[in-house]
């Protein structure tokens, strides 16, 4: 019996549909994304980096109260430029030294100008310049200025300065009637070497009083009546120089028996000579002493003698 052709075609169509349906089940849907295996994920582990170590501060020299002298500061600065240790200048006086908290190894340098000040006890070495000849600073190493002979040498410069002839006519400016300068003045007057025209004693007065007094004397003494001015301190010398410059008086010179108050920087044709501490060298010596202390060496106290500082038009 033969199978009808329509039945055969229907069977083939059914088989073809089944095959197509099976292919559809086996195919992945178009909108489904492949999922990665959990085990394939890369794991990032953060490791803490050690904090950088703080650099150890370099040993240094810290300077207090050096505002009193520019020459002293320059001596220190120049010495540091050639030396091993840097210098740092701190303002605020002795109180700043007492409260200073260093971050590393230091040695302090102190310009000890006022004998009434007491050097405080601190936890680091100290080297001090005793500008008024002070001693008794405990274990502090000192460079002590000894003014012996300065008053006499300055007065001798005033007497010998050309074209002065004895007795030299002088105005005297003194800190007091008991001062070394006035003692030298009276001795020279007794020998007939000077002719004291007038005298001023500062004592407890303000420096402005000296300036006003000197201006009044210039009104009384016209050019040719005075040969020179003898000033016992740098402050008094500077006051006289300022008055002479303000009045364009060039008939007299000023001679100072001290280099304080930056008188050493005021050398000129009006102030041809200053006898006192060479403060630039004092700064250099203090740097050397402080550097030795920083290196753990023992530094003995020493003495600085007066120097004669003279003006030169061609430095």
């Amino acid at each position: 019996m033969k199978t009808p052709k329509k039945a055969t075609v229907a069977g083939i169509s059914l088989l073809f549909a089944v095959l197509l349906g099976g292919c559809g089940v086996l195919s992945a849907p178009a909108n489904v994304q492949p999922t990665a295996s959990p085990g394939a994920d890369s794991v990032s582990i953060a490791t803490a980096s050690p904090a950088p170590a703080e650099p150890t501060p370099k040993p240094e020299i810290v300077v207090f109260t050096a505002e009193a002298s520019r020459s002293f500061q320059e001596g220190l600065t120049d010495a540091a430029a050639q030396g091993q240790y840097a210098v740092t200048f701190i303002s605020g006086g002795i109180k700043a030294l007492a409260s200073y908290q260093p971050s590393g190894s230091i040695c302090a340098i102190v310009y000890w100008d006022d004998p009434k000040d007491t050097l405080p006890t601190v936890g680091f070495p100290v080297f001090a310049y005793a500008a008024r000849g002070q001693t008794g600073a405990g274990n502090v190493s000192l460079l002590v200025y000894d003014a012996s002979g300065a008053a006499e040498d300055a007065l001798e410069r005033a007497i010998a300065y050309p074209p002065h002839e004895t007795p030299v006519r002088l105005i005297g400016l003194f800190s007091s009637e008991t001062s070394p300068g006035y003692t030298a003045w009276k001795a020279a007057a007794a020998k007939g070497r000077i002719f004291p025209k007038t005298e001023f004693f500062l004592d407890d007065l303000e420096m402005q009083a000296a300036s006003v007094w000197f201006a009044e004397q210039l009104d009384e003494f016209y050019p040719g009546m005075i040969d020179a001015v003898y000033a016992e301190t740098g402050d008094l010398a500077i006051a006289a120089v300022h008055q002479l410059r303000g009045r364009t008086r060039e008939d007299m010179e000023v001679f100072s028996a001290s280099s304080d108050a930056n008188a050493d920087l005021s050398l000129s044709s009006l102030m041809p000579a200053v006898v006192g501490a060479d403060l630039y060298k004092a700064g250099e010596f203090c740097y050397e002493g402080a550097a030795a202390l920083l290196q753990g060496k023992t530094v003995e106290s020493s003495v600085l003698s007066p120097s004669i500082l003279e003006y030169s038009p061609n430095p």
Side-chain angles (χ1 to χ4, degrees), residues 14-245:
L14 178 61
L15 177 60
F16 185 75
V18 171
L19 290 174
L20 288 177
C23 289
V25 172
L26 294 176
S27 299
N31 60 347
V32 177
Q33 300 294 326
T35 303
S37 170
D41 287 345
S42 60
V43 179
S44 176
I45 301 175
T47 57
S49 300
E54 291 291 333
T56 302
K58 293 182 179 180
E60 65 173 342
I61 295 172
V62 182
V63 185
F64 297 85
T65 65
E67 309 92 273
S69 170
R70 294 203 302 273
S71 292
F72 185 79
Q73 294 179 53
E74 289 174 4
L76 279 170
T77 301
D78 289 349
Q82 303 296 323
Q84 181 179 354
Y85 305 106
V87 293
T88 300
F89 293 90
I90 302 294
S91 60
I94 296 296
K95 290 183 179 179
L97 170 63
S99 61
Y100 190 74
Q101 298 294 326
S103 57
S105 177
I106 75 160
C107 179
I109 290 178
V110 182
Y111 189 106
W112 189 16
D113 191 42
D114 190 345
K116 297 177 183 179
D117 288 335
T118 300
L119 296 181
T121 300
V122 293
F124 41 83
V126 175
F127 191 96
Y129 170 61
R132 307 295 175 183
Q134 311 94 301
T135 57
N139 296 325
V140 175
S141 300
L142 299 174
L143 174 63
V144 181
Y145 174 58
D146 181 3
S148 299
E152 292 82 359
D153 287 346
L155 186 56
E156 188 62 35
R157 285 292 182 281
I159 294 171
Y161 192 78
H164 298 170
E165 296 180 358
T166 56
V168 181
R169 300 164 298 176
L170 298 178
I171 294 176
L173 307 174
F174 305 96
S175 57
S176 73
E177 292 187 66
T178 60
S179 65
Y182 192 56
T183 299
W185 173 274
K186 290 188 296 182
K191 294 178 181 178
R193 302 192 69 208
I194 66 171
F195 179 15
K197 300 293 286 186
T198 186
E199 302 163 348
F200 174 84
F201 302 97
L202 183 63
D203 292 318
D204 296 326
L205 299 175
E206 295 292 332
M207 189 56 60
Q208 182 63 24
S211 184
V212 171
W213 179 89
F214 186 70
E216 293 171 351
Q217 305 312 304
L218 292 179
D219 291 335
E220 295 186 14
F221 296 109
Y222 54 82
M225 296 181 68
I226 301 294
D227 294 315
V229 179
Y230 174 69
E232 187 174 32
T233 70
D235 282 319
L236 290 169
I238 294 298
V241 168
H242 285 172
Q243 287 296 334
L244 289 172
R245 284 178 177 163

Side-chain angles (χ1 to χ4, degrees), residues 233-257:
T233 70
D235 282 319
L236 290 169
I238 294 298
V241 168
H242 285 172
Q243 287 296 334
L244 289 172
R245 284 178 177 163
R247 293 165 181 259
T248 63
R249 291 282 295 266
E250 298 180 356
D251 55 299
M252 65 186 79
E253 300 82 29
V254 179
F255 296 83
S256 178

